[in-house]
Amino acid sequence: MVTIKDIAKLAGVSHTTVSRALNDSPLIPEGTKQRIREIAASVNYTPNFNAKSLVLARSFHVGLFFSTLDKGTTSGFFHETVTGALSVIKDRYHLIVNAIDSYGGAYGSVTPQSFDGIIVMSQSHADESFIRYVWEKRIPLAVINRRAEPLPVVNVLSDDEAGVFRAVEHLIGAGHRRIAILEGKTGFQSSQNRKNGYLRAMAKHGLDVPQPYQVAGDFDLESGYIGMQQLLACDPLPTAVFCSGDELAVGAMKAARSRGLSVPGDISIAGFDDNAFSAFVSPALTTVKRPVVSMGRLAAEGLLRALAERRQTVETIRVPTELIVRESVGPAPTP
Amino acid sequence: MVTIKDIAKLAGVSHTTVSRALNDSPLIPEGTKQRIREIAASVNYTPNFNAKSLVLARSFHVGLFFSTLDKGTTSGFFHETVTGALSVIKDRYHLIVNAIDSYGGAYGSVTPQSFDGIIVMSQSHADESFIRYVWEKRIPLAVINRRAEPLPVVNVLSDDEAGVFRAVEHLIGAGHRRIAILEGKTGFQSSQNRKNGYLRAMAKHGLDVPQPYQVAGDFDLESGYIGMQQLLACDPLPTAVFCSGDELAVGAMKAARSRGLSVPGDISIAGFDDNAFSAFVSPALTTVKRPVVSMGRLAAEGLLRALAERRQTVETIRVPTELIVRESVGPAPTP
DNA sequence: GCATACGATGCACACGTTAACAAGAACTGA
DNA sequence: TCAGTTCTTGTTAACGTGTGCATCGTATGC
């Protein structure tokens, strides 16, 4: 492997001069820089980042951690977050991806020497210990999707509650009164936020929310199917169901249909997330869109800002949600 | 930050002894090891991997590269591959994720010092230059999804062609004669493999494949929708369509329905991939399942084997595909 | 009791880079 | 011409580890 010392020898200067030239130091005159750069290129020199890391105490790595990868994180969500983060990280840092629950609480390998900064896509309050750990190690931190208070970090939040509120009001506006909810994974903050939006809308319009109308799911298709079966056992049947995720909604539609019910003829269904397939199922899903790619991007930008300023920036970024009206919600059937 | 020298001072030994003790060297008696480990734990020492990397010439990083992230890689595919790879990488290495097309041909930051090994989920032959680059840098390499010949590397391949062959024979077995194909992204090897399976099955049964029955898509929902519209303009109409991806298939079903056709009453549709949602759309999709999680896992295992043996292992691992019969394929309508 | 072997430990250097400081050369102003 | 300044470059020591070789003490074998 070719090092700056080899280049130094070729150029007839000291390795210090080479280092400075390649780092574009103002101490070196332009001509010398040129010459050294050319030599470096001609022997196709690539810097050893391990050595740089050691002396600069920077790793050139940014971590992106999800609460879990195989238990409750939907593919689209994962994909979009990574895409968003990578779009700003690009070649300035390497992006290390992992799941928090894979550590089993032993975060030993997460050190300030290994990570210049960390983005946590936080879905569950079980992340609390990880977030606190990172914070205590003084690693610059950005948290997406869950309020990171009281820790002063970059925090990117979508207004789920408002989105759900609008969606449920949309159902109410279509004449529905008996509206059930298929909740997300228990313990996930997003589940709670969305439920709050539902409850607030129902309360505002003086509508009842009986216990059997509230069923917990797991954000995946299967639990949507199962949860819907539970709801379909209720008497009286709800005329509309708000689902805390699109996958839940698609599972629920499946269950409704296999019970001989038409969507939205007999029962209306609304989802949350606007997954890639949501416009393409039949009927196309009315849902709440959350700009996940942007959230990943904003978190990465915030983190990089913090890194550039060499201090922990405190910043809360809110992104809006948007109601997407499609076909899965219809007027309430007349009794 | 606490270093082995600090521990050495506390233990009254040299840093050499500490280094050996913490690395479980046979040169150090058990008692001393114990004592040093305890001291290390009590001051919660974490090794500086940058320093280790420098002296050991190992980075403790494994790269996982996709051809692209936002142009043709489906979420499920991405998610499952990462999950599979991480399940074996775990805490032995950090997993760096990136897209090859984000480099724009300048692979400078991909150095042997930064990556102990690299997994390429290769979808397009545009990856060729990257794969060759990695190979020339002598970085241990595993290639998934595309034949890496003539390079002797770990190569994980699924038998797409055989799977498609079975699927198309399934259509033929249901009485279909006019069978169209919605192809995947042009230039992707997987698109070609799947088409070959289709062509082979059609040829074996002496069935005609007119040019208009072959439409190229992009592996996503929208291109499935658009491609299907093209097919529905054919005269005579195909009675069945094989789609090279499940997302294509769902888009196609949508297009069929919005033309007033029932699936599978009027037209049958088969897909490929067995995405998470494929069982939950209506009608549930008949498709070919490919064990993507396993492929990620096998590639990572192969790579780690190569790393352990400190040499490039040559190995081709084939994983089978499986036909999943559901509801979207029915008997050919009688003319 | 002596030579030999071996077990435990430390010294010193290496890995490739950056940076504080020193030092020589060239230039400035009188 | 000379002192002071600026520009250019080199010397040297870090950063935190791992390791070849040397050293010292103790056990072993006769």
Side-chain angles (χ1 to χ4, degrees):
Chain A
M1 210 76 298
V2 34
T3 73
I4 52 172
K5 294 194 179 175
D6 300 322
I7 300 177
K9 207 157 288 175
L10 290 174
V13 296
S14 76
H15 72 277
T16 309
T17 303
V18 176
S19 170
R20 291 198 179 111
L22 295 179
N23 288 321
D24 203 21
S25 153
L27 295 178
I28 308 288
E30 199 53 45
T32 316
K33 281 184 192 172
Q34 284 287 351
R35 195 165 56 87
I36 292 182
R37 280 199 208 104
E38 274 161 22
I39 297 178
S42 75
V43 294
N44 75 72
Y45 164 77
T46 53
N48 183 324
F49 276 83
N50 296 322
K52 281 177 111 93
S53 294
L54 181 58
V55 58
L56 295 177
R58 293 183 48 196
S59 64
F60 304 96
H61 293 296
V62 165
L64 174 56
F65 291 83
F66 292 79
S67 306
T68 178
L69 270 183
D70 46 9
K71 296 184 279 295
T73 297
T74 65
S75 298
F77 190 68
F78 176 64
H79 185 202
E80 292 187 15
T81 308
V82 174
T83 304
L86 268 179
S87 75
V88 356
I89 300 282
K90 276 185 185 297
D91 47 359
R92 309 207 271 164
Y93 294 87
H94 283 141
L95 188 71
I96 295 177
V97 174
N98 210 342
I100 295 174
D101 66 353
S102 81
Y103 284 111
Y107 309 130
S109 69
V110 180
T111 65
Q113 296 94 18
S114 298
F115 293 93
D116 288 344
I118 284 181
I119 303 172
V120 177
M121 171 53 90
S122 179
Q123 300 156 272
S124 154
H125 58 61
D127 306 336
E128 209 71 54
S129 78
F130 180 75
I131 292 177
R132 182 154 293 277
Y133 173 90
V134 171
W135 165 258
E136 278 166 4
K137 290 270 178 186
R138 319 231 66 121
I139 306 174
L141 177 62
V143 177
I144 319 183
N145 203 40
R146 248 184 85 251
R147 163 153 265 126
E149 273 169 354
L151 265 31
V153 299
V154 177
N155 202 179
V156 179
L157 299 169
S158 68
D159 201 350
D160 289 16
E161 187 181 325
V164 175
F165 183 85
R166 273 194 300 275
V168 175
E169 280 209 316
H170 174 67
L171 292 170
I172 296 172
H176 295 277
R177 293 297 172 263
R178 296 198 305 276
I179 305 174
I181 180 172
L182 210 49
E183 304 178 33
K185 185 163 177 154
T186 310
F188 274 35
Q189 168 104 39
S190 47
S191 306
Q192 190 57 51
N193 289 343
R194 294 170 203 178
K195 184 167 188 184
N196 289 346
Y198 162 80
L199 291 174
R200 194 154 61 78
M202 294 299 274
K204 175 178 169 195
H205 293 268
L207 296 177
D208 216 28
V209 184
Q211 196 58 44
Y213 276 20
Q214 308 170 36
V215 173
D218 221 9
F219 280 132
D220 64 358
L221 289 153
E222 200 175 346
S223 69
Y225 189 85
I226 294 171
M228 189 63 168
Q229 288 182 320
Q230 271 179 259
L231 289 176
L232 293 177
C234 292
D235 182 28
L237 229 54
T239 66
V241 179
F242 167 75
C243 303
S244 300
D246 281 2
E247 310 217 346
L248 287 171
V250 173
M253 294 200 321
K254 180 86 179 175
R257 257 190 309 257
S258 55
R259 264 297 229 294
L261 296 175
S262 116
V263 179
D266 299 315
I267 193 165
S268 287
I269 291 185
F272 191 99
D273 261 348
D274 195 30
N275 276 354
F277 59 82
S278 303
F280 290 87
V281 293
S282 280
L285 199 60
T286 290
T287 187
V288 178
K289 180 189 179 117
R290 197 162 48 140
V292 181
V293 176
S294 297
M295 291 169 75
R297 191 167 38 72
L298 288 167
E301 284 171 356
L303 186 64
L304 261 52
R305 249 193 320 272
L307 293 182
E309 298 170 9
R310 295 207 147 289
R311 60 187 189 82
Q312 185 58 261
T313 357
V314 190
E315 202 173 351
T316 298
I317 303 168
R318 298 199 159 270
V319 297
T321 52
E322 182 188 354
L323 178 65
I324 310 280
V325 176
R326 297 205 181 95
E327 309 162 355
S328 63
V329 172
T334 45
Chain B
M1 211 72 301
V2 33
T3 74
I4 52 170
K5 294 194 182 177
D6 300 322
I7 300 177
K9 209 157 287 172
L10 290 174
V13 296
S14 76
H15 77 277
T16 308
T17 302
V18 175
S19 171
R20 291 199 178 111
L22 295 179
N23 287 322
D24 204 20
S25 154
L27 295 178
I28 307 290
E30 198 53 45
T32 316
K33 281 184 191 169
Q34 282 288 350
R35 195 165 57 87
I36 292 180
R37 281 200 206 103
E38 276 161 23
I39 296 177
S42 76
V43 295
N44 74 70
Y45 164 77
T46 54
N48 184 326
F49 276 83
N50 295 324
K52 279 178 113 90
S53 293
L54 181 57
V55 58
L56 295 178
R58 294 182 47 197
S59 65
F60 305 96
H61 294 295
V62 165
L64 173 56
F65 291 82
F66 291 80
S67 304
T68 177
L69 270 182
D70 45 10
K71 296 185 277 296
T73 297
T74 64
S75 300
F77 191 66
F78 176 64
H79 185 199
E80 292 186 16
T81 309
V82 174
T83 304
L86 267 179
S87 75
V88 356
I89 301 281
K90 277 185 184 296
D91 45 1
R92 310 206 268 164
Y93 293 88
H94 282 141
L95 188 72
I96 295 178
V97 174
N98 210 343
I100 295 173
D101 66 353
S102 80
Y103 284 111
Y107 309 131
S109 69
V110 180
T111 66
Q113 297 93 19
S114 298
F115 293 94
D116 287 343
I118 284 181
I119 302 172
V120 177
M121 171 54 91
S122 179
Q123 300 156 272
S124 155
H125 58 61
D127 305 336
E128 210 70 54
S129 79
F130 180 74
I131 291 177
R132 181 155 295 277
Y133 173 89
V134 172
W135 165 256
E136 277 166 3
K137 290 270 176 184
R138 317 231 67 119
I139 306 175
L141 178 61
V143 177
I144 319 184
N145 204 40
R146 248 185 85 251
R147 165 154 264 126
E149 274 168 353
L151 265 31
V153 299
V154 177
N155 204 180
V156 179
L157 299 169
S158 68
D159 200 350
D160 290 16
E161 188 180 325
V164 175
F165 183 84
R166 273 194 301 275
V168 175
E169 281 210 314
H170 175 68
L171 292 170
I172 297 172
H176 295 277
R177 292 297 172 264
R178 298 198 303 278
I179 304 175
I181 181 172
L182 210 49
E183 302 178 35
K185 184 161 179 155
T186 310
F188 274 35
Q189 167 103 42
S190 47
S191 306
Q192 191 56 51
N193 289 343
R194 294 170 203 177
K195 185 168 189 184
N196 289 345
Y198 162 81
L199 292 174
R200 194 154 61 78
M202 296 297 277
K204 176 180 167 194
H205 293 268
L207 296 176
D208 216 27
V209 183
Q211 197 57 46
Y213 276 19
Q214 308 169 37
V215 172
D218 221 11
F219 281 131
D220 63 359
L221 289 153
E222 200 174 345
S223 69
Y225 189 86
I226 295 169
M228 189 63 169
Q229 288 181 320
Q230 271 180 258
L231 288 176
L232 293 177
C234 291
D235 182 28
L237 230 55
T239 66
V241 178
F242 167 75
C243 304
S244 299
D246 280 2
E247 310 217 348
L248 287 171
V250 173
M253 295 201 318
K254 180 87 180 175
R257 256 190 309 258
S258 55
R259 264 297 228 295
L261 296 176
S262 117
V263 179
D266 299 316
I267 192 165
S268 287
I269 290 184
F272 192 99
D273 262 350
D274 194 31
N275 275 352
F277 59 81
S278 303
F280 290 87
V281 295
S282 281
L285 198 60
T286 289
T287 187
V288 179
K289 179 188 179 118
R290 196 164 47 141
V292 181
V293 175
S294 296
M295 292 169 75
R297 193 167 37 73
L298 288 167
E301 284 171 355
L303 186 63
L304 261 50
R305 249 193 321 271
L307 293 182
E309 297 170 11
R310 296 206 148 289
R311 62 188 189 80
Q312 185 59 262
T313 357
V314 190
E315 201 173 353
T316 299
I317 302 169
R318 297 199 161 271
V319 296
T321 52
E322 181 189 355
L323 177 65
I324 310 280
V325 176
R326 296 205 182 94
E327 310 162 355
S328 63
V329 172
T334 43

